[in-house]
């Protein structure tokens, strides 16, 4: 089990390289990151799943996800298990498999509120660093909102994967069969607005490479990301 109360000193050990990929909802960062990890034989870490699992944990405890103290209390006793195999996306909290449950609307609606608590983000970020430090891979593709700026600002590869808002909305609507496109676009806009109040994932920080997939299809986006990774890792290890 992974206990988020682990001290910061235990999370800074050298291990696998971070391949840090940030981006807004609907940018394709999850599917692209998984494909890139498979292609390179790297691990894959979906940081959003950790926050979703924590939101589920808070709800399961009967606590209010809008109560920062309740969220912090839940985070201090959060036995989450996250794998790094891009083909095994199982998420457990204690002995409960929450892989499907964390995608339920009630959890999705609560994630932003849980992730807004600064102390919680600090604890979860330590979890991410520890997972990468202990990973049995040469590198781990870590995707989320603030990986390039907060979790791993010194990562050898930092990428912001983005796309035009209307393209992101159309892609997300295509993923959600039966959903109204306008409603999906509105929900995506609300999530971006809420999350961007905590971290800027719409603009690249200094040293972060931008891959804009607005005019790219899925294979082209994967190739563009692979090109950046190979160039930057080649420069680092060359």
């Amino acid at each position: 089990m992974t206990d988020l109360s682990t001290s910061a000193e235990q999370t800074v050990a050298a291990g696998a390289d971070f391949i840090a990929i940030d981006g807004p909802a609907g940018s394709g960062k999850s599917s692209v990151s998984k494909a890139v990890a498979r292609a390179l034989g790297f691990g894959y870490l979906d940081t959003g799943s950790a926050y979703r699992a924590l939101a589920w944990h808070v709800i399961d405890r009967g606590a209010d996800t809008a109560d920062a103290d309740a969220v912090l209390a839940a985070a201090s006793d959060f036995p989450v298990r996250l794998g790094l195999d891009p083909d095994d996306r199982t998420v457990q909290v204690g002995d409960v498999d929450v892989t499907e449950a964390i995608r339920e609307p009630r959890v999705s609606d609560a994630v932003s509120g849980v992730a807004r608590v600064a102390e919680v983000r600090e604890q979860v970020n330590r979890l991410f660093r520890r997972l990468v430090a202990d990973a049995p891979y040469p590198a781990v593709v870590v995707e989320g909102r603030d990986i390039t700026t907060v979790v791993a600002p010194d990562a050898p590869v930092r990428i912001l994967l983005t796309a035009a808002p209307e393209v992101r909305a159309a892609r997300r609507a295509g993923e959600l069969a039966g959903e109204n496109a306008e409603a999906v676009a509105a929900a995506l806009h609300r999530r971006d607005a809420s999350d961007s109040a905590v971290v800027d994932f719409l603009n690249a920080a200094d040293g972060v490479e931008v891959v804009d997939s607005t005019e790219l299809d899925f294979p082209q986006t994967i190739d563009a990301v692979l090109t950046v990774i190979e160039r930057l890792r080649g420069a680092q290890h060359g």
Side-chain angles (χ1 to χ4, degrees), residues 100-164:
E100 300 297 329
I102 62 174
R103 302 295 168 183
E104 295 174 357
R106 64 179 186 135
V107 175
S108 297
D109 291 344
V111 172
S112 291
V114 167
R116 288 174 65 89
V117 182
E119 295 89 343
V120 168
R121 294 191 72 86
E122 290 173 5
Q123 291 191 46
V124 176
N125 287 343
R126 290 200 291 271
L127 163 65
F128 299 150
R129 296 185 192 110
R130 186 167 69 252
L131 286 171
V132 175
D134 294 340
Y137 297 92
V140 178
V141 180
V142 185
E143 55 99 346
R145 299 290 209 183
D146 60 356
I147 313 304
T148 63
T149 54
V150 178
V151 178
D154 298 322
V157 179
R158 295 186 298 152
I159 297 171
L160 177 67
L161 180 59
T162 190

